[in-house]
Amino acid sequence: MKRERLGKKILSLVLAVTLVGSGLSVYSAKDNNNEVYAVTGAPQIEKTEYEGKGKVEVEFYGKVKFYNAKVTVKKLSTGKVYTADILKKDSDDIEFKSPSYTAGCKYKYTISGIKKYGADRYTSVSGYFTVPNASRIVIDEIEYDADDRELSVDFKTRVNWRYPTVKVYTTTGEFVCGSRILEKDSDSIEVRLNKSLKYGKKYKVKISGIKARTATTYKTISKTFYAVD
């Protein structure tokens, strides 16, 4: 038995030396039978979302930790770098705001002083986002309530309405049904469809009589969605 335990310790030591030599950090779990495994410090970005008014939210896979975190934003077309203000941060996301963005331009952000939970050192991570044109309407979310045949559409853009209609089509363009408008405001519309949709099937909604507040003309927009609650 002593020889077996000694053999396991020697194997763990060899593995640790190999990992360090390859440039990976090593974490020893003392309460896990002396197993040794590598932990990389940089978290993986799940989603980056421009929320409007200079705000950007970044979500991560798994938990993260921050220490003296800072965020810089680079405008790719000019190379100019801005320092962003961190609005909030928690165990799996961060929200920051920069005072200067240009509509239609792409940016690279870098978050320093961050590591994924369990890593031994803090590092940095980078991602990208694009600021939409001011006249472009961006749909944030589409929800379907099968019980009430209600379809709700939320927008990231502030919008105005003129005799709006909401119709549903198949993804190949075949008309499915119209709707009756229940409620609309500056960033959403809710309708009751004239017929039920097949649960789980993919559809396309077309909304007419809508424009971004900064735009001059009303138009029709569309987006695909799945008929799920």
Side-chain angles (χ1 to χ4, degrees), residues 82-184:
Y82 305 89
T83 299
D85 296 324
I86 297 175
L87 302 179
K88 69 179 182 71
K89 57 184 184 292
D90 57 30
S91 62
D92 61 0
D93 67 7
I94 185 172
E95 185 180 47
F96 59 85
K97 181 177 182 180
S98 177
S100 180
Y101 288 135
T102 303
C105 290
K106 188 174 183 179
Y107 293 83
K108 178 182 179 180
Y109 64 86
T110 299
I111 305 167
S112 60
I114 187 174
K115 68 175 182 177
K116 67 182 181 181
Y117 197 83
D120 59 352
R121 66 181 61 185
Y122 289 88
T123 182
S124 62
V125 65
S126 297
Y128 300 86
F129 65 92
T130 300
V131 179
N133 290 317
S135 60
R136 178 170 168 251
I137 299 172
V138 180
I139 294 177
D140 183 26
E141 186 177 20
I142 300 176
E143 292 185 349
Y144 175 64
D145 185 337
D147 293 334
D148 297 325
R149 303 197 320 271
E150 291 181 4
L151 192 69
S152 300
V153 184
D154 295 329
F155 306 97
K156 293 183 181 179
T157 316
R158 296 288 181 177
V159 299
N160 288 339
W161 303 97
R162 178 183 289 174
Y163 310 120
T165 62
V166 178
K167 299 178 181 180
V168 176
Y169 296 79
T170 65
T171 54
T172 58
E174 181 182 352
F175 177 74
V176 176
C177 66
S179 66
R180 177 170 63 88
I181 295 174
L182 301 176
E183 184 180 356
K184 64 181 187 296

Side-chain angles (χ1 to χ4, degrees), residues 35-73:
E35 291 181 6
V36 180
Y37 58 91
V39 177
T40 57
Q44 186 178 358
I45 295 172
E46 179 179 5
K47 183 174 69 172
T48 302
E49 183 175 7
Y50 180 74
E51 298 183 316
K53 298 182 179 180
K55 297 179 182 179
V56 178
E57 183 179 39
V58 182
E59 297 180 4
F60 303 96
Y61 289 105
K63 292 185 178 181
V64 300
K65 294 187 72 175
F66 299 95
Y67 181 75
N68 289 336
K70 295 180 181 179
V71 180
T72 58
V73 179

